[in-house]
Amino acid sequence: MTATLIPSTLSDHGLRWQHSLGKLGTAFYTELKPTPLPEPYWVGSSTQVGKLLNLPSGWNTSAHWLDALTGNLSLEGGRSLASVYSGHQFGVWAGQLGDGRAILLGESDGHEIQLKGAGLTPYSRMGDGRAVLRSSIREFLCSEAMHGLRIPSSRALCVTGSDAPVRRETLETAAVVTRVAPSFIRFGHFEHFAHTDQHAELKTLADYVIDKFYPQCRKSDQWQGNTYVALLAEVTRRTAEMVARWQSVGFCHGVMNTDNMSILGLTIDYGPFQFLDAYDPAHVCNHSDHQGRYAFYKQPNVAYWNLFCLGQALLPLIGEQEQAIAALETFKELYPQAFARQMAAKLGFAKAREAHRSVIEDIEKLLAAERVDYTIFWRRLSHWAEHCDCSDASVRDLFMNRTAIDDWLVTFSAQTRSEDAGHDAYLMLRSNPKYVLRNHLGELAIRAARQKDFSKVAELLKVLERPYDEHPESEHLADFPPDWAGGIEISCSS
Ligand code: AMP
Ligand code: MG
């Protein structure tokens, strides 16, 4: 028998390494290698993200890439590390955390590539450094679903699995998600250096982020030339925009701890997230969140609270507390503006107007009172507007209180007909997705994947990449959730 020679590094990989984070110094990270997993297999992969990274064609069927993206084989020129951060978890200072199971392979053409679930790091604390198949599939699909919904997010290249056992509440199996973002730096990175009084490092980190991602902050005369206030203001703006988009599609993050908040305003760290089925503003998707701190309707306020933690951390650099507060205060205008823009688009208006406000508030009340399916309502409304067929029952049928919805539809259609409204039914179809990653859809794909059938992961990826399009062969993925969907329990355990 001839033994297959496994190389120790993969060359010719198309990646062009820069490692800018890796040049900051050892205060920020520990260099280390991923821990291999036995006999990996492909679970899902994104050709879109492969192209983004300039990977050679056929990467997602290659045994070498399978090994490389499971942490079993080094990528030539890579420089792998785990970074240190801290953070507030559920409103309480949690002290040092860090990449406990995510290992950065390096940065190529502005994309950092991280393996999540790749083994122990100095920051693993009580954890095992692993991620289970279930949560890895959820993170993979949701990253790409969010991108499809035009919501800023980390991306996901692939998931690989291994039958190596991983203990959670029950015995599960291991998986690795390869995720990609311009940077995985979190609010918690800044909190770490502020709380440990490492102000030189705090400045190095802030300067790194500004030079690389927010160079306009150096020019800003708006904040009296205070570059670090300008940074806080910019992060505030991006975070407001991100959360407004979450609220408009009914996305509940589930663990908005400051260590899960991206300095670039990206949605990161997918854990117990959920897209609302029935519209319920008080919905808490994370079964570990007993106080309901991260209920759906609280997300904008939590984002604001988290930004205060970031502001506090940046204070040694900002100097003036009033300036920091002024930058944070902009959230109070930016968030409602961003939300109004998103909701106006759902109604088919390119520009938000004051007149839309009551229409939006009224429909939210109606949807909440009757627990109407959020995604299906907006999609049906888009078709209703497209055909201008007011006798169409598809929207009315979602409500018990027909008088209330009829009244609302009359008000809404009057707005669409007003001369200067510029109503566009096509914009509604581009703003109200037909497909979202409902919990039960993820669950069905996970159950099949446990039996080594990965076709449902691939099918979901395909529709979620283009959630506003019709996918006649996958019509069932746009259905109402089954009764058992309400019983799915998603917790922090991942
Ligand atoms: P999360 O709630 O997933 O954002 O994780 C919070 C912190 O716990 C982060 O520092 C993670 O790296 C760490 N962590 C979560 N799960 C594990 C695990 N299985 N092994 C090591 N660290 C973990
Ligand atoms: Mg996290």
Side-chain angles (χ1 to χ4, degrees):
M1 206 174 77
T2 46
T4 321
L5 277 181
I6 299 179
S8 59
T9 56
L10 178 59
S11 47
D12 249 358
H13 43 54
L15 298 165
R16 295 181 282 243
W17 298 120
Q18 285 104 42
H19 305 309
S20 57
L21 181 71
K23 289 175 190 143
L24 292 189
T26 51
F28 299 90
Y29 48 76
T30 304
E31 293 199 38
L32 81 177
K33 293 257 182 266
T35 311
L37 278 169
E39 297 176 53
Y41 46 85
W42 293 106
V43 174
S45 63
S46 158
T47 21
Q48 269 190 14
V49 181
K51 282 196 186 123
L52 190 71
L53 293 175
N54 193 37
L55 301 190
S57 63
W59 66 272
N60 53 357
T61 50
S62 141
H64 288 160
W65 276 98
L66 174 61
D67 271 322
L69 297 172
T70 310
N72 298 355
L73 181 66
S74 302
L75 290 164
E76 193 173 74
R79 187 166 163 194
S80 51
L81 57 88
S83 75
V84 63
Y85 55 80
S86 296
H88 283 84
Q89 297 188 318
F90 293 91
V92 179
W93 177 244
Q96 183 181 306
L97 304 164
D99 294 325
R101 53 178 169 166
I103 296 181
L104 183 71
L105 298 183
E107 174 199 340
S108 173
D109 283 333
H111 304 291
E112 285 191 353
I113 305 172
Q114 228 186 37
L115 300 186
K116 181 169 176 180
L120 290 170
T121 79
Y123 317 109
S124 299
R125 299 176 296 148
M126 309 296 282
D128 56 8
R130 292 300 180 192
V132 294
L133 180 66
R134 153 180 66 83
S135 61
S136 305
I137 289 175
R138 281 169 53 86
E139 172 145 11
F140 171 68
L141 289 175
C142 200
S143 308
E144 293 310 289
M146 295 297 259
H147 181 73
L149 293 166
R150 304 186 293 268
I151 301 177
S153 174
S154 57
R155 305 291 303 273
L157 175 69
C158 61
V159 182
T160 63
S162 161
D163 287 342
V166 176
R167 178 155 293 284
R168 294 294 179 259
E169 282 83 3
T170 58
L171 210 55
E172 303 189 42
T173 60
V176 176
V177 194
T178 303
R179 52 184 194 176
V180 175
S183 170
F184 286 96
I185 292 179
R186 300 137 195 275
F187 292 9
H189 280 95
F190 291 87
E191 290 180 281
H192 178 75
F193 295 104
H195 276 264
T196 50
D197 287 327
Q198 299 182 75
H199 291 177
E201 287 77 7
L202 181 66
K203 183 172 182 307
T204 302
L205 185 67
D207 287 339
Y208 167 76
V209 167
I210 290 167
D211 291 338
K212 202 161 159 62
F213 304 107
Y214 296 102
Q216 70 275 28
C217 292
R218 298 236 180 257
K219 294 191 200 98
S220 169
D221 38 358
Q222 209 190 344
W223 299 100
Q224 296 164 14
N226 191 324
T227 308
Y228 304 106
V229 187
L231 171 66
L232 183 59
E234 229 357 74
V235 179
T236 301
R237 191 185 63 74
R238 287 208 197 177
T239 305
E241 183 67 38
M242 172 189 77
V243 178
R245 286 173 187 247
W246 290 1
Q247 301 306 110
S248 75
V249 296
F251 175 78
C252 212
H253 181 283
V255 219
M256 288 178 71
N257 294 333
T258 59
D259 55 301
N260 291 338
M261 297 291 293
S262 149
I263 201 70
L264 301 184
L266 307 173
T267 315
I268 54 167
D269 280 20
Y270 294 91
F273 69 83
Q274 186 179 3
F275 283 87
L276 296 182
D277 290 321
Y279 184 67
D280 173 11
H283 186 70
V284 180
C285 60
N286 178 356
H287 279 254
S288 317
D289 180 7
H290 305 295
Q291 310 290 321
R293 181 179 172 85
Y294 299 137
F296 176 68
Y297 80 98
K298 291 186 182 167
Q299 295 188 126
N301 267 337
V302 173
Y304 187 50
W305 192 92
N306 289 344
L307 284 160
F308 264 81
C309 293
L310 177 65
Q312 182 76 42
L314 289 173
L315 216 47
L317 306 179
I318 290 174
E320 303 282 329
Q321 187 167 319
E322 290 72 25
Q323 282 207 344
I325 289 174
L328 292 165
E329 289 274 295
T330 60
F331 187 87
K332 290 186 183 162
E333 282 200 1
L334 291 171
Y335 173 75
Q337 281 167 6
F339 182 66
R341 241 188 346 264
Q342 293 303 320
M343 296 310 283
K346 287 175 88 70
L347 290 169
F349 302 106
K351 249 183 89 182
R353 288 165 189 253
E354 185 52 35
H356 302 148
R357 192 210 293 251
S358 61
V359 177
I360 292 162
E361 284 172 4
D362 288 350
I363 195 60
E364 283 180 342
K365 275 189 212 133
L366 269 181
L367 293 170
E370 300 210 23
R371 298 277 195 275
V372 174
D373 190 277
Y374 190 69
T375 307
I376 290 178
F377 166 75
W378 285 104
R379 190 71 183 181
R380 284 196 186 179
L381 186 71
S382 312
H383 287 296
W384 180 88
E386 188 191 18
H387 300 121
C388 260
D389 178 5
C390 297
S391 62
D392 181 355
S394 63
V395 175
R396 297 180 80 225
D397 281 355
L398 296 169
F399 296 81
M400 302 278 278
N401 185 345
R402 298 288 162 92
T403 321
I405 186 62
D406 283 347
D407 288 350
W408 185 85
L409 287 170
V410 167
T411 314
F412 171 53
S413 53
Q415 284 200 348
T416 64
R417 285 192 308 269
S418 100
E419 267 176 35
D420 56 346
H423 186 260
D424 178 359
Y426 184 67
L427 175 63
M428 293 182 75
L429 288 165
R430 305 307 301 159
S431 308
N432 294 304
K434 176 159 179 165
Y435 299 94
V436 293
L437 180 56
R438 295 176 187 268
N439 254 355
H440 77 279
L441 296 176
E443 180 64 25
L444 290 172
I446 290 161
R447 284 184 200 167
R450 284 182 174 142
Q451 307 302 317
K452 303 279 193 300
D453 168 8
F454 307 118
S455 60
K456 287 189 162 54
V457 173
E459 184 188 16
L460 273 174
L461 176 67
K462 186 163 168 251
V463 303
L464 295 171
E465 281 174 340
R466 306 185 68 86
Y468 302 99
D469 292 356
E470 296 292 329
H471 298 271
E473 68 292 352
S474 299
E475 199 65 26
H476 60 288
L477 300 179
D479 278 351
F480 287 98
D483 286 343
W484 58 266
I488 300 171
E489 293 199 356
I490 307 284
S491 71
C492 277
S493 151
S494 62

